[in-house]
Amino acid sequence: MQGLLFSVLLSLVVQQRGTVSQGANPLISISLMPLNRIVVSESSTTFSCEINEAEFSALSYAWYHDDGEVTSGEGAIITPSNGGQTSSLTLTVTDDRVGMYWCVADLGAVGSVTSLRAQLQAAYTGTFGSNSMSSLTVSEGIPLAIPCNPPESVPSATLEWYIEGESVDTPVTADTRISVSLEGALIFSPVRSGEDAGRTYFCQVTNTVDASLVETGPRVVLMDSQDQGPIFSDHTFVSQPSNASVLAGEDATFGCFSKGSPADQVKWFKDGTEIAANEQISFLQNKRILFISSVQSSNEGRYYCQIEQVGFDNALSSTSAYLEMLNPPTITQHLANQSAEAETETTLRCDASGSTPFTWSWIHNSKRIVSGSHFVVDGNELTINDLGHSDSGVFQCVVEGIRAGQTAQSIGILNVNTFLPHITVWPKRDILTFSGSEVQLPCLAEGAPSPQYSWTQDGTEVQGDRFAVAMGTLTISNSLPSDSGSYVCVASNDVGRTESLPTLVDIINELPVASFPAMSVIKDKRETVKFECELQTSLYSITYQWTHDSQIIISNSRIIIENGNLTIHNLADSDTGEYECVAQISKVGSTATSVQQTVGSTQVTVTTEPHPPRSLSVHTASITSSAALLSWTPPTDDRGRAVTGYSVDLLLVSVFGPDQLIESDWLRINQSNLPTVMTSYEVTGLFPYTAYQFRVHAININGEGLPSQPSETIVTKQSAPTLPPFDVTVSQTGQQGLLNVSWNDPLFRLPNGRGRNGIVTSNTVSYRLEGDEFVNKTTTQAFLIISDLVVNALYQVKVRSSTMAGDGPFSDIVTASTGAFNTLPVVNMSVSLISDLSDSRGAVFNVSWLPPNISQEFLAFFSPLFYRIRFIDSEVVEREVNVTVTMATVLFLNWGQQYNIIVHVFYDGYEAFGPPSVVTMATPKGPPGPVSDLTFSVESGNLILNWKLPHDGGGTIANITIEGFSSSKSIIPSGLTYIGVPFSGHAPLDEGEWSVIASSNNTEVTTLSIEEIHSTGFTVLRVVACSNLGCSWGADLYNVTVPMATTTEPFYTTIWFIAVVSTVSFILLIIVLIVVAMVIKRSCNRLGKSDTYIYNMSENAGSEASMFSIRQRHLDFVHATSQNDSLGEERADSTLQLDTQIGFGPPDNEFVFAPPSSASLNSVSSSSQLRSTNSLLQAKYSGTEHHWLNQGFSQDTPEHHRRRDFIRGLSEVDGNSIIAESVASTYV
């Protein structure tokens, strides 16, 4: 065979069937029994067992393992077949199932027989002791033997040697120079360094049953020493033949292995004669192995081998080995079936032939016999002393030969003959029973032949129809007290008669009842009931036992049993039922068991709470957002007491609709019990859009019963929210003019019941610029971006949610600015009062602050240009002013009113206001303010005055007075605007010049007669409001001219006068607008210059501008200007930042300031294109002079160029006031 070196059979025992001899014509034999097996682990194997004689067919089979009886179950299946003669056991082989197995056949009365034991093993191969690689240095021509030392293997394992390759290992091939011994050694005779050196060798073993069990031995590397070894070397034995004993028909193998140089030749000899190959004898590995198949007796003898070296005459002889053929045991004398008398002795014997020594064992009814006084084992003989009935049965004689598993057996039956009956069962205790009952007295005896039974009463054999004996048991039917006495059982057979010990039987009538309660009792819950139970007797001992519905009652603190009496306190519903008293009657001094007598029983009914009401329902049509109507029917059982009322419970299933489930407890919702006749109830006070369940209890005198089945879950209808949205947030979006509003829907519900009340279908966002009307926008989302807003302005925002049932309340107002993110507010705002309540014109305050904390990097692009102050009362812008300094005086705010003072910074370069800084302050209570919106008209000869009531100053307005003033000179009107609110003060007239025209406690008087006014010659009227805290500053009407009722002057004269005044006023307005346009044009022509000018103001220039009247709306800068001849029309402009406080007020209360003299003012414009150009026209206030104020500024930056000019003018002509204001912006 190509590539095959050698397969060594280390030990071959795959499955061995023992040779079992039954002898000639046995009565009982086992034709099929379990045999030794070696199988693959986790595989399945089957043992079989069969009795071959139909006369003794097994009634049943049982299988046993080392650990006990085997039953069908997981991994084990027992299957009977062939009409009960054959049984098989199929196993899945695991570690816990290996061991010895045998079967037992039950032959009924004959006995039982067991099979011989078979060993079940799982295939196993061990591991090599070491797998470390080693190396051997060899020389050319030297002999070498490399051992393998294979591990233990069950069963055998084949062994091969391999040469390790890079990808495929090559088996070592045996030839004349290379061989493998029976022990597994690899032998070189001799080594050829060119062929053998430089290679790695290893041996490998494979289990012959489980081919997956493969183990590889350690690797050996042959290293070439480069030396030349001896050309010739004598052979020495590596392995020689050894003695062998085999069973007839088995194979025998001898090995003869040596190492030396040159190669050897092997010869085999038996008893001195050389052996040649034939049909039975063969050689392997160049005759190094002698193989004898199917050994016979003629093969017995001594074997040895001779080693001859090629080219040499000398020979090397091995030791001799003797081959012995073993004969398995064979039964030569079988056990005989035999009978023996009881209480005698007998000896059983069997003989066998075969190779000795033998091992003998004996089995009785499948149980191995251990030698002792009763059973005496002496090899192939068994002696049984004092035979008894239990010694009958099946005996097995088993003989085992030299080789394990080679057994033979013989089976015989022993029958022990008749013996005297021996009573084994009889009544051990006396009997006490009632007359009329059936009495049974058992009796059982052993005897051969089987005994006969009879009974005696007080020495006389019992007779009569009521007495019957069957299988030794005496039965007395319908017993009577006269049947009492001493009873004895008699067992007899041909051998003789045996009597049992006497048994006393006492049959009595039932004892009379002394006391017991009525047949039925009805009691209310929590009451107490007591029952008495007693029998009359003086001969017997009695104990009493009570049961409740057949359950034994155990005494406790509530239920007490004493001397047969039963007391139950605090009755409960569970106490309803049948109560029975049972007496346990026993006879003093007797071993008889006690007898029971039922004394009596009673039915107890405990009236308790009524059963639950039925058919609870909710009327769907009645469900609103806060109520629902329930109805039900009375309970079917009031438990013995009439229903007196009902109670209703509520369960909150969901706080918001049917889906938001919660865990809650049932709540009682009716404060007092509902009347019995009332089987409906309207539940009120429910929450909107909430899921509920309801239940109802019935009530009687015992209390409240269990609740009804809960109603179906209902959901109340939705209503308008009673809570506003929460977490309303207003934030800038990063884009000017936009605000991002977000919020959360109103809470489901607060403890006070307010909540969302339904599904929010829409949200309304209401916003306004402070002082304006609110604007509403609607969305279905919880957010909204408001666009098209004024940049850097404060907005007030509020939100409300709506359900399908209506709108909810608005949230609190949130104020937010549309300014940029990177601008800063002013800091350290403070407000101080500088006037007192004696000034009826109003309160005067100083407001101051500090500029924003702005970094130098921010100032490079954005810097504060001016500040805007706003005074807000009741969400209306009351006054507004722009200043460049960080302080201002606020004139004539209403007394007794709260104001929000807000300061914004206008950032140059950002062209927007920064975020606000707010201070809230309240003015003290004082006189009311002036009336507003004072007008007059002439209708049908009457002068009609109209006005609106002023702020009350914190007091209560008591009356309105109308006063008049007459003067021939023109009166300068005071209609200028101060901080955003028209001021209507009177001219500087002496108080004595005013006359009261009318006064009324009715503040709604608005009509006066023309005759009254004209008769006094009044040209100025004023309206004064008075309260408990003082009178207001008068609101004036100037130049009031009306026709007189008593004059003959035509009415057209007045019309002419009004036309002339109107024409002059219009001409003056045109002149002012022309001047304003010229100034704007002049300023625009100067834009774009980049020259640098330095101008030093002279002393004269400073003196000329030493006094300025503050008459305009606001003043940002004061500018000093001069004509420079060398520059022609060009002006060098300078800006002087004023440190002096600036005041605001009417002309008769002016503030003045003086700029520093000899001031050096610089205006610089460089390549950065930043220039400030300003101009001022100023004339002192005197008489009717014109007053003009021109304010302007421009700024050029690298990104864009912007110029703004503010031109405001005021002129007075013939007592009429003309106000002109223009704003021009130019971008380059």
Side-chain angles (χ1 to χ4, degrees):
M1 183 181 295
Q2 182 65 31
L4 176 63
L5 168 64
F6 175 56
S7 294
V8 179
L9 190 62
L10 298 179
S11 65
L12 178 59
V13 183
V14 178
Q15 180 170 313
Q16 178 175 315
R17 176 167 182 155
T19 303
V20 179
S21 174
Q22 302 290 349
N25 299 321
L27 293 176
I28 300 176
S29 65
I30 301 176
S31 59
L32 187 63
M33 66 177 64
L35 303 174
N36 295 339
R37 295 179 186 275
I38 302 174
V39 297
V40 177
S41 180
E42 301 300 330
S43 65
S44 177
T45 190
T46 300
F47 293 113
S48 297
C49 187
E50 182 180 11
I51 302 297
N52 66 340
E53 294 296 327
E55 181 181 353
F56 299 104
S57 295
L59 299 178
S60 65
Y61 287 92
W63 287 89
Y64 293 86
H65 178 236
D66 294 335
D67 298 329
E69 185 175 359
V70 179
T71 58
S72 290
E74 184 177 356
I77 301 174
I78 298 175
T79 305
S81 61
N82 295 338
Q85 292 185 351
T86 302
S87 178
S88 63
L89 170 63
T90 301
L91 298 168
T92 299
V93 180
T94 56
D95 291 342
D96 59 341
R97 287 200 173 97
V98 299
M100 305 301 293
Y101 285 86
W102 65 95
C103 72
V104 174
D106 183 5
L107 305 180
V110 176
S112 63
V113 62
T114 180
S115 70
L116 298 179
R117 302 191 177 197
Q119 184 178 18
L120 176 62
Q121 293 177 282
Y124 165 80
T125 298
T127 58
F128 285 85
S130 172
N131 277 321
S132 59
M133 181 177 289
S134 60
S135 62
L136 293 174
T137 303
V138 296
S139 301
E140 175 73 20
I142 67 169
L144 176 66
I146 304 174
C148 177
N149 300 320
E152 177 186 4
S153 181
V154 178
S156 62
T158 59
L159 184 149
E160 289 186 85
W161 278 88
Y162 289 86
I163 301 171
E164 188 177 65
E166 290 184 359
S167 58
V168 179
D169 300 328
T170 305
V172 176
T173 303
D175 55 19
T176 57
R177 184 173 65 87
I178 300 175
S179 60
V180 177
S181 70
L182 293 178
E183 293 78 13
L186 177 62
I187 303 171
F188 298 85
S189 295
V191 170
R192 296 288 180 256
S193 60
E195 300 178 24
D196 306 325
R199 294 182 174 181
T200 300
Y201 296 82
F202 64 90
C203 63
Q204 179 174 286
V205 295
T206 303
N207 192 286
T208 56
V209 169
D210 188 354
S212 65
L213 300 177
V214 179
E215 294 292 328
T216 301
R219 285 162 168 72
V220 179
V221 182
L222 298 185
M223 309 295 293
D224 189 1
S225 67
Q226 304 298 324
D227 295 332
Q228 176 63 48
I231 298 175
F232 303 100
S233 62
D234 294 334
H235 274 259
T236 59
F237 280 106
V238 176
S239 174
Q240 301 185 59
S242 58
N243 294 336
S245 297
V246 297
L247 293 174
E250 289 185 346
D251 301 332
T253 303
F254 294 101
C256 182
F257 295 86
S258 65
K259 62 179 181 178
S261 181
D264 58 349
Q265 292 181 349
V266 180
K267 293 182 179 180
W268 285 93
F269 297 85
K270 177 197 174 201
D271 296 334
T273 302
E274 185 175 357
I275 303 172
N278 54 37
E279 292 180 356
Q280 188 183 19
I281 296 175
S282 60
F283 301 100
L284 301 172
Q285 290 199 51
N286 294 301
K287 299 187 70 174
R288 294 183 179 91
I289 296 176
L290 169 64
F291 181 80
I292 306 173
S293 63
S294 188
V295 171
Q296 302 173 6
S297 60
S298 60
N299 299 123
E300 288 186 313
R302 291 196 170 274
Y303 293 82
Y304 67 95
C305 64
Q306 282 187 352
I307 303 296
E308 295 180 355
Q309 290 181 274
V310 177
F312 292 84
D313 295 331
N314 59 326
L316 178 65
S317 296
S318 70
T319 58
S320 63
Y322 187 80
L323 174 61
E324 178 186 17
M325 186 194 74
L326 300 179
N327 290 309
T330 301
I331 297 296
T332 57
Q333 180 181 343
H334 286 274
L335 290 176
N337 295 339
Q338 62 185 58
S339 297
E341 298 297 328
E343 299 180 352
T344 63
E345 71 172 32
T346 187
T347 298
L348 306 179
R349 178 186 176 86
C350 65
D351 287 326
S353 63
S355 300
T356 57
F358 293 149
T359 300
W360 298 88
S361 59
W362 289 84
I363 299 172
H364 176 223
N365 287 336
S366 304
K367 305 292 183 182
R368 289 188 176 272
I369 295 175
V370 178
S371 183
S373 59
H374 184 66
F375 291 106
V376 179
V377 177
D378 182 14
N380 61 331
E381 288 186 352
L382 171 65
T383 300
I384 307 171
N385 297 314
D386 192 19
L387 286 168
H389 179 72
S390 60
D391 296 323
S392 297
V394 178
F395 286 83
Q396 294 175 252
C397 169
V398 181
V399 57
E400 185 174 12
I402 297 176
R403 289 277 297 274
Q406 297 300 312
T407 58
Q409 70 170 339
S410 179
I411 302 175
I413 298 175
L414 173 63
N415 179 38
V416 178
N417 293 328
T418 60
F419 58 90
L420 186 69
H422 172 65
I423 297 177
T424 57
V425 177
W426 74 96
K428 300 298 193 297
R429 303 183 64 175
D430 296 340
I431 295 176
L432 174 64
T433 187
F434 288 114
S435 60
S437 63
E438 182 179 86
V439 179
Q440 286 191 340
L441 303 176
C443 182
L444 185 62
E446 293 181 350
S450 297
Q452 301 294 319
Y453 299 95
S454 62
W455 284 85
T456 63
Q457 176 190 7
D458 297 331
T460 302
E461 185 174 352
V462 296
Q463 293 180 352
D465 297 337
R466 294 186 299 106
F467 296 89
V469 178
M471 301 294 293
T473 298
L474 170 64
T475 300
I476 305 174
S477 302
N478 298 320
S479 60
L480 301 172
S482 59
D483 296 330
S484 300
S486 175
Y487 286 81
V488 173
C489 173
V490 178
S492 59
N493 63 9
D494 295 342
V495 180
R497 162 191 173 102
T498 303
E499 293 183 353
S500 70
L501 295 175
T503 298
L504 295 178
V505 176
D506 190 2
I507 300 175
I508 64 174
N509 293 319
E510 287 193 350
L511 302 179
V513 176
S515 61
F516 196 77
M519 295 298 292
S520 63
V521 175
I522 297 177
K523 288 287 185 178
D524 287 334
K525 188 177 181 180
R526 290 180 288 277
E527 287 188 334
T528 298
V529 66
K530 183 176 181 180
F531 304 117
E532 294 181 350
C533 179
E534 183 182 1
L535 294 177
Q536 294 179 352
T537 183
S538 59
L539 300 177
Y540 299 97
S541 174
I542 301 177
T543 59
Y544 296 94
Q545 177 179 280
W546 282 87
T547 62
H548 176 208
D549 291 338
S550 303
Q551 300 296 317
I552 297 175
I553 298 175
I554 306 299
S555 290
N556 53 46
S557 59
R558 190 175 70 89
I559 303 176
I560 301 171
I561 300 176
E562 185 177 8
N563 298 325
N565 297 327
L566 171 65
T567 303
I568 306 175
H569 298 284
N570 194 22
L571 282 170
D573 184 36
S574 58
D575 296 325
T576 295
E578 182 182 25
Y579 289 80
E580 184 178 70
C581 178
V582 177
Q584 299 283 344
I585 305 171
S586 60
K587 191 172 184 179
V588 179
S590 173
T591 63
T593 58
S594 62
V595 64
Q596 290 186 353
Q597 178 180 339
T598 299
V599 181
S601 63
T602 184
Q603 182 69 35
V604 176
T605 301
V606 179
T607 64
T608 61
E609 298 86 352
H611 279 185
R614 299 168 296 136
S615 305
L616 175 62
S617 63
V618 183
H619 295 264
T620 304
S622 70
I623 299 174
T624 67
S625 62
S626 62
L629 180 63
L630 312 180
S631 65
W632 61 88
T633 57
T636 56
D637 186 357
D638 59 13
R639 301 309 304 271
R641 294 291 184 262
V643 173
T644 59
Y646 298 95
S647 61
V648 181
D649 295 341
L650 170 149
L651 178 67
L652 188 62
V653 178
S654 168
V655 298
F656 188 72
D659 301 325
Q660 300 291 331
L661 300 181
I662 63 170
E663 292 185 3
S664 63
D665 298 324
W666 288 93
L667 300 176
R668 178 61 45 83
I669 58 176
N670 60 312
Q671 298 301 319
S672 60
N673 295 339
L674 302 178
T676 306
V677 297
M678 187 172 182
T679 56
S680 65
Y681 180 70
E682 184 179 21
V683 182
T684 59
L686 302 178
F687 295 140
Y689 200 54
T690 302
Y692 294 97
Q693 281 186 315
F694 305 95
R695 66 185 187 185
V696 181
H697 303 256
I699 303 170
N700 64 11
I701 192 173
N702 287 310
E704 182 178 270
L706 295 175
S708 66
Q709 289 294 323
S711 69
E712 71 274 14
T713 300
I714 64 103
V715 180
T716 54
K717 293 185 178 180
Q718 301 184 38
S719 68
T722 51
L723 281 179
F726 68 99
D727 288 344
V728 177
T729 303
V730 183
S731 60
Q732 300 175 7
T733 63
Q735 182 177 354
Q736 296 187 27
L738 298 180
L739 285 179
N740 182 24
V741 185
S742 63
W743 60 91
N744 287 320
D745 287 342
L747 295 173
F748 289 151
R749 183 163 297 110
L750 295 178
N752 61 10
R754 297 175 62 200
R756 189 184 303 174
N757 298 340
I759 299 174
V760 173
T761 57
S762 65
N763 296 284
T764 301
V765 178
S766 185
Y767 64 94
R768 71 176 179 185
L769 190 66
E770 290 184 338
D772 294 344
E773 295 296 326
F774 278 102
V775 177
N776 293 334
K777 288 191 176 181
T778 302
T779 178
T780 58
Q781 306 296 323
F783 64 90
L784 179 67
I785 296 178
I786 308 175
S787 58
D788 299 329
L789 302 177
V790 177
V791 177
N792 278 340
L794 278 180
Y795 277 85
Q796 295 176 329
V797 181
K798 56 185 179 180
V799 184
R800 74 180 177 198
S801 295
S802 302
T803 67
M804 61 184 297
D807 300 331
F810 274 106
S811 65
D812 292 338
I813 291 177
V814 177
T815 302
S817 172
T818 56
F821 290 106
N822 54 355
T823 58
L824 298 175
V826 301
V827 296
N828 295 347
M829 283 184 60
S830 64
V831 180
S832 60
L833 178 68
I834 62 174
S835 64
D836 56 38
L837 296 174
S838 62
D839 193 340
S840 63
R841 292 171 296 180
V844 179
F845 282 85
N846 276 343
V847 182
S848 63
W849 59 89
L850 294 178
N853 298 317
I854 303 175
S855 64
Q856 291 299 321
E857 293 80 2
F858 186 82
L859 282 172
F861 300 97
F862 311 105
S863 60
L865 189 58
F866 62 87
Y867 303 95
R868 172 167 293 176
I869 313 169
R870 306 171 72 199
F871 301 88
I872 300 177
D873 165 46
S874 301
E875 303 179 357
V876 177
V877 176
E878 177 121 335
R879 301 193 184 184
E880 178 180 298
V881 64
N882 293 349
V883 297
T884 58
V885 293
T886 59
M887 63 184 68
T889 298
V890 185
L891 299 178
F892 309 142
L893 298 179
N894 288 330
W895 295 108
Q897 191 163 8
Q898 180 170 299
Y899 290 89
N900 288 330
I901 303 177
I902 304 171
V903 177
H904 293 268
V905 183
F906 188 90
Y907 283 89
D908 183 28
Y910 187 70
E911 197 181 354
F913 283 100
S917 294
V918 183
V919 172
T920 300
M921 67 91 180
T923 60
K925 293 182 180 180
V931 299
S932 60
D933 297 341
L934 179 58
T935 61
F936 77 94
S937 62
V938 178
E939 298 179 7
S940 302
N942 292 327
L943 176 65
I944 307 301
L945 295 180
N946 296 296
W947 65 87
K948 290 183 179 178
L949 286 179
H951 185 270
D952 58 16
T956 302
I957 297 176
N959 59 57
I960 299 294
T961 300
I962 301 174
E963 299 176 349
F965 177 80
S966 178
S967 176
S968 59
K969 64 178 181 179
S970 298
I971 303 301
I972 299 175
S974 55
L976 294 176
T977 299
Y978 297 91
I979 316 182
V981 178
F983 179 80
S984 299
H986 62 72
L989 304 174
D990 293 335
E991 290 297 326
E993 300 173 359
W994 291 94
S995 299
V996 175
I997 299 175
S999 178
S1000 175
N1001 294 333
N1002 183 353
T1003 58
E1004 298 179 355
V1005 173
T1006 59
T1007 303
L1008 295 173
S1009 69
I1010 299 175
E1011 290 78 7
E1012 285 187 74
I1013 296 176
H1014 186 77
S1015 64
T1016 57
F1018 297 132
T1019 58
V1020 179
L1021 298 179
R1022 71 178 181 184
V1023 180
V1024 179
C1026 295
S1027 72
N1028 60 322
L1029 298 177
C1031 292
S1032 68
W1033 188 257
D1036 304 338
L1037 286 174
Y1038 293 94
N1039 302 324
V1040 179
T1041 303
V1042 298
M1044 296 183 60
T1046 59
T1047 181
T1048 58
E1049 183 179 356
F1051 180 74
Y1052 64 85
T1053 304
T1054 303
I1055 300 300
W1056 178 87
F1057 176 79
I1058 295 174
V1060 171
V1061 172
S1062 300
T1063 302
V1064 173
S1065 300
F1066 178 77
I1067 294 172
L1068 290 176
L1069 176 60
I1070 296 300
I1071 295 172
V1072 170
L1073 293 176
I1074 293 173
V1075 173
V1076 168
M1078 293 176 62
V1079 173
I1080 294 174
K1081 180 178 181 181
R1082 179 178 180 87
S1083 299
C1084 292
N1085 291 336
R1086 298 176 59 224
L1087 182 65
K1089 302 298 183 178
S1090 59
D1091 302 276
T1092 300
Y1093 303 101
I1094 299 177
Y1095 175 72
N1096 295 323
M1097 180 184 291
S1098 65
E1099 184 71 27
N1100 293 332
S1103 62
E1104 291 176 356
S1106 60
M1107 298 296 291
F1108 293 85
S1109 296
I1110 309 304
R1111 297 286 302 275
Q1112 75 284 9
R1113 178 182 177 188
H1114 62 268
L1115 180 62
D1116 297 328
F1117 302 96
V1118 176
H1119 308 284
T1121 63
S1122 176
Q1123 176 67 39
N1124 190 321
D1125 295 337
S1126 63
L1127 297 177
E1129 292 297 318
E1130 298 294 336
R1131 289 178 179 272
D1133 302 327
S1134 299
T1135 301
L1136 175 62
Q1137 181 69 45
L1138 299 180
D1139 295 327
T1140 304
Q1141 176 178 331
I1142 300 176
F1144 303 89
D1148 58 330
N1149 196 21
E1150 292 178 341
F1151 288 84
V1152 298
F1153 64 89
S1157 61
S1158 304
S1160 178
L1161 306 175
N1162 300 328
S1163 176
V1164 180
S1165 177
S1166 63
S1167 58
S1168 65
Q1169 300 183 20
L1170 177 64
R1171 181 193 303 125
S1172 177
T1173 61
N1174 305 274
S1175 61
L1176 173 68
L1177 294 108
Q1178 170 65 38
K1180 291 184 179 179
Y1181 173 81
S1182 62
T1184 59
E1185 289 185 87
H1186 301 298
H1187 298 272
W1188 294 94
L1189 175 65
N1190 178 22
Q1191 294 176 272
F1193 67 90
S1194 66
Q1195 177 174 322
D1196 300 340
T1197 64
E1199 292 80 7
H1200 62 274
H1201 310 304
R1202 181 180 68 249
R1203 176 183 178 89
R1204 282 187 178 177
D1205 287 291
F1206 296 87
I1207 302 174
R1208 295 180 179 85
L1210 171 66
S1211 178
E1212 178 187 305
V1213 179
D1214 297 329
N1216 293 320
S1217 177
I1218 299 177
I1219 300 175
E1221 178 173 333
S1222 176
V1223 178
S1225 297
T1226 304
Y1227 291 87
V1228 181

